[in-house]
Amino acid sequence: MPLIQLDNACLAFGDVALLDHTALVLEPGEKLSLIGRNGAGKSSLLKVLAGQAKLDDGTLWTQPGLRVAYVAQEPDFDLDRDVFATVADGVGGAARLIAEYHAAALQLEGGDETALSRLETLQHELEASNGWAVHHKVEQVIDRLKLDAKARVGSLSGGGIKRVALARALAGEPDLLLLDEPTNHLDITAIGWLEELIRAYRGSVLLITHDRSFMDAVSTRIVELDRGRLASFPGSFSAYQTRKAEMLEMEAKSNAEFDKVLAQEEVWIRKGVEARRTRNEGRVRRLEALRRERSERRDRMGNVDFKLERGEQSGQLIAELTDVKKGFGDKTVIRDFSARLMRGDRIGLIGPNGAGKTTLLKLILGELEADSGSIKRGTKQQVAYFDQFRTALDPEATLADIISPGSDYVEIGGTKKHVVGYLGDFLFAPQRARSPVKSLSGGERNRLLLARLFARPANILVLDEPTNDLDIETLELLEQLLQEFQGTLFIVSHDRTFLDNVVTQTIAYEGDALWREYAGGYQDWLRASTASREAAAKAAAPVKPAAAAPAAPKEANKPAKLSFNEKRELDALPGKISKLESEQAALQAQLANPDIYRDRPTEVPVMNKRLEAIEEELLDLLDRWEKLEAKGQAAG
């Protein structure tokens, strides 16, 4: 039985149809990633499923007694309360008793004897309502998410507040967890922790994210909201990309054929009286139907048009740092760091929140001076800075003022362009040019900041968390632009795929204020740092004297040959693998059809279960094939 079923769902914002007669079925145990353009209606859909918004038309069916927890992008709870009380809110009716008992216990712990009688009263109430089990559950969740129960929520970092929101949702043990951009404000370590949590979670999860590595790690199905319609793609994000490319190609061909027929009919209708004769009335009606269909067809939205003016070429050397140390008060954030950074380098900075990535950037660019060591900086440097906190955006200013203050034109590549047209390149409608910044969503603000950044010539680009709130297509376009940029790049990001696709070297935090430079992107850093740690552990391990082994006969060293049965097994493996892959492809094709979730919903979990089984069988067969091949080659 499905947990949730949407049928013929309609939801509009002004004249824009966010949901246009669409359907969705969510089964127990599924982990769904919801993707789509900024402003497509993903957050609105999540609020509908959470019961915080209503459809304009259509039906939403939920399983009786279904427990749903919703975690919004930004905290929707009081930041002045402590962590325990905030998390306890997630358990429902017992929350008040638990929070009051915890507060009285803290008062007693602080020496307030008057809290003792209040504590005894609350203890009896908790026993009567089975509240101790719930109290224990809250403590378990707080401990699991490594939170300080006594801390004030507002004193935590963005990542800490996100953990509190997740703990609050998990405390009620929901059957369905709805997460809106859960990786925002989390560093790479915290994102890895969240991946493990979601994979191990017994209930169903529906999340909105643009983190492609994260989706690949947790998703059993990708659901795309595109022009008001929901389409399902079983498997990971990588599988979705392949299938989506095929669908877009088919859609383009179909639209081209349709437009060709329409053009032919338009020519015919203009021939005059002949077209209006009785025997042609059917053709006229067909043309009218074609016109209606064409006007109703919602074409794919345009793409952001990124163009970047490099400006004057900088000197060959960007910065040379030797044994640099920097601290604030008693805390050292950078020590003994040396690096030589050259023009054209594309550098990614990796480290936990608060490690000192921004401080290191400011040292490199001359905005801060080192406490010790030396920094030699290059010449002719024009720096453009993308700030993750968007401090460059005045909320009261208009979009046009942000791009070109005091002028209606912006100069790009030596050519003047009207600011309204330039904003249109970043998907802002002409009427929004005079709207205030405060009216924009998070993704729109990031697009505006990119538009402002690219309107200024620069030979050094500094991007601090540029991927937050950007949809996947805009991310990919940004990646392409940065790959083509001839200047120098500094990128602070927790988006692993983005780093792998753009940077040529990585400066990573190694702990204890130490930073180290690696060649390549995130995956290259991960492999190198893991190998380095393993080598260090091996070197530190005590060396045990090797026991004298008895001399083995010469034949014992000779690799065993494949047996007759093993040879037969090896010969049969390609056929078995091919058969399983064909079955896998057939199941994926069926699950990619949205109609199956409406017409045959009971078959969906069976198909998904079979897909999982096929994947495990394929892995086992491939592993066996590799072992037999290796054994045969060693013996040969």
Side-chain angles (χ1 to χ4, degrees):
M1 177 188 270
L3 297 181
I4 278 184
Q5 187 164 340
L6 269 180
D7 191 35
N8 202 32
C10 296
L11 182 66
F13 181 76
D15 296 330
V16 180
L18 302 178
L19 301 177
D20 190 1
H21 301 280
T22 193
L24 175 69
V25 175
L26 179 62
E27 298 288 345
E30 282 195 294
K31 309 290 191 296
L32 268 61
S33 290
L34 177 62
I35 63 173
R37 278 284 181 88
N38 292 135
K42 302 183 297 297
S43 294
S44 298
L45 173 57
L46 231 60
K47 287 177 181 176
V48 167
L49 299 180
Q52 296 186 10
K54 290 186 178 180
L55 294 170
D56 295 334
D57 198 7
T59 57
L60 168 64
W61 180 88
T62 57
Q63 193 181 95
L66 182 71
R67 297 189 305 273
V68 180
Y70 169 60
V71 179
Q73 282 191 49
E74 301 299 331
D76 54 358
F77 43 80
D78 187 355
L79 299 182
D80 287 328
R81 302 173 72 202
D82 65 35
V83 168
F84 189 95
T86 305
V87 174
D89 280 346
V91 298
R96 182 190 60 80
L97 284 177
I98 293 169
E100 287 184 17
Y101 181 86
H102 177 71
L106 287 178
Q107 286 175 340
L108 187 63
E109 191 180 306
D112 185 355
E113 297 295 333
T114 59
L116 184 59
S117 60
R118 177 64 179 149
L119 205 62
E120 288 175 357
T121 304
L122 288 167
Q123 188 170 349
H124 291 309
E125 289 184 38
L126 282 167
E127 285 170 357
S129 61
N130 195 30
W132 286 118
V134 181
H135 186 278
H136 180 60
K137 191 188 299 178
V138 172
E139 288 180 329
Q140 275 186 322
V141 171
I142 288 172
D143 183 60
R144 184 183 174 192
L145 271 65
K146 298 180 174 60
L147 291 164
D148 179 2
K150 300 176 186 177
R152 189 179 70 87
V153 176
S155 68
L156 303 176
S157 66
I161 293 172
K162 183 71 77 173
R163 282 178 186 257
V164 172
L166 287 166
R168 189 168 177 255
L170 292 169
E173 296 183 339
D175 305 306
L176 174 59
L177 192 57
L178 303 173
L179 307 175
D180 195 347
E181 295 287 4
T183 62
N184 276 5
H185 309 299
L186 296 183
D187 56 38
I188 288 175
T189 305
I191 291 170
W193 159 83
L194 183 59
E195 285 175 1
E196 293 298 324
L197 186 148
I198 290 175
R199 279 200 294 259
Y201 188 62
R202 292 181 182 177
S204 295
V205 180
L206 174 57
L207 58 93
I208 296 171
T209 185
H210 302 306
D211 187 323
R212 293 156 288 182
S213 297
F214 185 73
M215 277 189 277
D216 266 336
V218 305
S219 304
T220 60
R221 179 155 57 109
I222 304 294
V223 176
E224 183 183 35
L225 179 54
D226 182 17
R227 291 163 285 173
R229 298 298 181 95
L230 291 164
S232 289
F233 302 83
S236 66
F237 178 73
S238 299
Y240 151 79
Q241 283 183 304
T242 304
R243 176 68 180 139
K244 182 63 178 177
E246 294 169 356
M247 285 177 63
L248 287 175
E249 187 178 349
M250 289 168 60
E251 181 183 349
K253 286 179 181 176
S254 173
N255 285 346
E257 281 296 317
F258 180 94
D259 292 342
K260 184 180 177 182
V261 171
L262 178 58
Q264 289 169 349
E265 295 300 296
E266 291 286 4
V267 169
W268 170 81
I269 198 70
R270 285 172 174 76
K271 285 184 179 178
V273 179
E274 180 189 353
R276 292 190 288 275
R277 288 179 184 168
T278 306
R279 65 176 182 272
N280 288 321
E281 282 181 3
R283 192 169 178 182
V284 174
R285 284 196 298 271
R286 176 171 174 253
L287 174 59
E288 289 171 351
L290 282 170
R291 284 174 175 169
R292 280 196 303 274
E293 187 179 340
R294 178 64 183 85
S295 66
E296 290 169 3
R297 190 175 82 204
R298 295 180 66 187
D299 289 319
R300 190 162 181 77
M301 290 169 64
N303 289 323
V304 177
D305 185 12
F306 283 143
K307 294 183 181 70
L308 184 56
E309 177 81 5
R310 189 186 70 178
E312 184 185 6
Q313 192 175 64
S314 69
Q316 186 70 24
L317 177 73
I318 298 300
E320 186 172 8
L321 296 86
T322 307
D323 298 328
V324 167
K325 180 182 178 183
K326 183 66 182 175
F328 299 94
D330 296 332
K331 185 182 179 183
T332 301
V333 293
I334 297 163
R335 65 182 176 89
D336 303 328
F337 179 68
S338 299
R340 196 161 193 263
L341 309 175
M342 308 300 290
R343 183 179 67 217
D345 286 351
R346 303 162 188 275
I347 301 149
L349 281 83
I350 294 176
N353 293 332
K357 300 185 291 293
T358 303
T359 300
L360 181 54
L361 268 176
K362 288 181 176 179
L363 285 168
I364 292 168
L365 299 173
E367 295 177 27
L368 282 177
E369 292 302 323
D371 296 338
S372 63
S374 65
I375 303 175
K376 182 182 178 183
R377 299 184 184 91
T379 58
K380 300 179 182 177
Q381 296 183 358
Q382 294 174 285
V383 181
Y385 202 100
F386 181 100
D387 178 12
Q388 65 162 316
F389 300 111
R390 309 187 185 105
T391 53
L393 299 180
D394 178 359
E396 301 300 329
T398 66
L399 276 60
D401 287 338
I402 292 292
I403 300 301
S404 185
S407 173
D408 287 338
Y409 291 89
V410 59
E411 190 168 322
I412 304 292
T415 305
K416 279 192 173 183
K417 189 167 189 175
H418 198 279
V419 69
V420 173
Y422 181 70
L423 283 166
D425 291 341
F426 290 81
L427 299 184
F428 291 107
Q431 60 269 28
R432 301 197 70 186
R434 304 300 170 190
S435 300
V437 169
K438 63 185 179 184
S439 68
L440 302 181
S441 67
E444 287 172 329
R445 290 190 186 204
N446 263 16
R447 264 195 276 128
L448 180 63
L449 197 54
L450 287 170
R452 182 180 186 275
L453 182 79
F454 296 162
R456 288 152 174 73
N459 51 38
I460 297 176
L461 272 184
V462 181
L463 305 178
D464 194 351
E465 291 295 349
T467 64
N468 281 353
D469 302 316
L470 290 182
D471 59 56
I472 290 163
E473 290 182 59
T474 307
L475 269 177
E476 290 172 348
L477 286 164
L478 178 59
E479 287 173 356
Q480 183 181 343
L481 173 83
L482 295 177
Q483 287 163 359
E484 294 168 357
F485 179 56
Q486 298 299 309
T488 306
L489 287 175
F490 291 94
I491 299 174
V492 177
S493 179
H494 302 309
D495 187 322
R496 295 156 289 179
T497 304
F498 185 77
L499 288 169
D500 280 333
N501 291 345
V502 175
V503 306
T504 56
Q505 63 220 76
T506 299
I507 297 174
Y509 181 70
E510 302 280 289
D512 194 24
L514 289 173
W515 296 79
R516 185 177 169 190
E517 189 177 7
Y518 294 85
Y522 170 79
Q523 292 297 337
D524 299 300
W525 162 74
L526 193 61
R527 280 191 293 270
S529 60
T530 302
S532 178
R533 283 194 300 271
E534 288 174 354
K538 193 174 180 182
V543 180
K544 294 180 181 178
K554 266 188 175 182
E555 289 299 315
N557 294 329
K558 197 173 180 181
K561 291 184 177 181
L562 289 175
S563 67
F564 175 74
N565 286 336
E566 285 176 330
K567 284 180 181 176
R568 288 184 63 186
E569 184 185 359
L570 181 60
D571 292 339
L573 280 173
K576 289 181 179 178
I577 290 169
S578 178
K579 189 177 177 182
L580 280 172
E581 285 176 339
S582 298
E583 186 185 352
Q584 185 184 47
L587 283 170
Q588 286 175 341
Q590 289 183 66
L591 287 167
N593 184 354
D595 294 341
I596 194 173
Y597 298 93
R598 183 187 66 241
D599 302 336
R600 295 182 287 159
T602 55
E603 295 179 29
V604 172
V606 178
M607 289 182 178
N608 279 321
K609 198 169 182 181
R610 178 56 186 153
L611 270 177
E612 289 174 14
I614 289 173
E615 209 164 310
E616 288 179 13
E617 286 179 51
L618 281 171
L619 287 172
D620 291 342
L621 290 175
L622 289 167
D623 184 54
R624 181 63 176 159
W625 191 1
E626 190 178 334
K627 286 177 181 175
L628 290 175
E629 282 277 11
K631 186 177 178 182
Q633 288 172 6

